[in-house]
Amino acid sequence: NYWLVSLSLVLAIVASFAALSIAARIPFVERRMLWLWLGGGSVSMGLAIWSMHFVGMLAFHIGIPLAYDVPLTILSIFYAVVATAISITIVRLKFNNNLSLLVSTLFMGSGIAAMHYTGMDALKMSPEILYDRKLFVLSLLIAYVASFVALRLFFTQAMNAEAAHRIFDKARLYAAIVMGIAIAGMHYTAMEAAIFDPRSVCTAVGQGIDSGIMSILIVL
């Protein structure tokens, strides 16, 4: 469904901008408010990535009923939020060097990839989904590139109080666009890598979250 594909891209860009705006302010927040801002930045970015992923999943049809295993869906959210929290914390500590950037990128990229493939596993397909190896590796590379772009901005604005406190910043918008495209690119590359058996059935149907309820959760 190309309308939902387009919506997933817009969601990824807008949510990335919001999350980047929060993260840029974190280094300048008073200590008593720090955990609220760290939590807000982590949850907003993590849920932005997760929401984009599941809108993309709702756009996907293979001609059979689909639903999502509850524990695995929650785990996919956990991966995205925790990976973001670790990355933002490194920025907050102002470890403004290449090693810190690479470590943050590793956590963020791994979190995005773990979120996606755990979300795919939540379909509980039988036979199991297989993946084209080359496209699988490419999807991981895109996830790390997306993370690098976003975190590079984090590190830059961690040293720029004026830019961090602006509601609108061109550099932040450009980074959000690149990151949104990269997050969506990772998702749809990974979907292209997925190989479904023609006899596939979704064993989560009747036990997990159906598409209608998932739509409501994403909007919330």
Side-chain angles (χ1 to χ4, degrees):
N1 182 311
Y2 291 106
W3 287 108
L4 287 176
V5 171
S6 300
L7 176 61
S8 73
L9 178 58
V10 171
L11 177 63
I13 293 172
V14 173
S16 292
F17 183 85
L20 287 167
S21 299
I22 293 173
R25 291 282 297 277
I26 286 174
F28 309 102
V29 173
E30 296 179 14
R31 186 171 295 277
R32 63 189 178 87
M33 297 291 289
L34 176 60
W35 293 110
L36 287 175
W37 280 81
L38 278 174
S42 303
V43 171
S44 63
M45 179 65 84
L47 289 181
I49 297 167
W50 180 84
S51 297
M52 179 273 136
H53 163 81
F54 275 97
V55 169
M57 290 294 291
L58 292 176
F60 175 68
H61 301 287
I62 57 173
I64 63 172
L66 297 176
Y68 304 90
D69 179 75
V70 175
L72 287 175
T73 299
I74 294 173
L75 182 61
S76 69
I77 299 174
F78 176 81
Y79 281 140
V81 172
V82 170
T84 305
I86 293 172
S87 300
I88 292 178
T89 300
I90 292 174
V91 176
R92 174 64 178 80
L93 296 174
K94 296 186 179 180
F95 293 153
N96 195 17
N97 56 57
N98 291 332
L99 178 59
S100 297
L101 179 59
L102 290 175
V103 171
S104 300
T105 297
L106 178 64
F107 275 108
M108 180 79 88
S110 299
I112 293 173
M115 178 279 304
H116 175 87
Y117 286 104
T118 302
M120 290 291 290
D121 196 39
L123 287 171
K124 307 289 284 186
M125 301 301 293
S126 179
E128 292 185 354
I129 302 170
L130 302 177
Y131 293 95
D132 178 276
R133 291 182 181 179
K134 291 181 180 178
L135 289 174
F136 173 80
V137 172
L138 179 59
S139 73
L140 297 182
L141 291 175
I142 294 174
Y144 289 120
V145 169
S147 302
F148 182 86
V149 170
L151 292 169
R152 178 71 266 176
L153 178 70
F154 286 4
F155 275 72
T156 300
Q157 292 203 335
M159 307 300 292
N160 187 341
E162 182 183 352
H165 285 79
R166 282 199 294 265
I167 293 176
F168 178 80
D169 182 75
K170 285 185 178 180
R172 193 184 310 151
L173 175 61
Y174 296 151
I177 292 172
V178 172
M179 185 178 180
I181 291 172
I183 291 173
M186 180 272 160
H187 171 85
Y188 291 110
T189 301
M191 292 300 293
E192 181 68 17
I195 302 169
F196 291 83
D197 190 284
R199 301 163 295 169
S200 291
V201 294
C202 178
T203 60
V205 172
Q207 303 174 17
I209 307 171
D210 66 29
S211 297
I213 295 175
M214 183 63 74
S215 300
I216 295 172
L217 290 176
I218 291 168
V219 170
L220 291 174

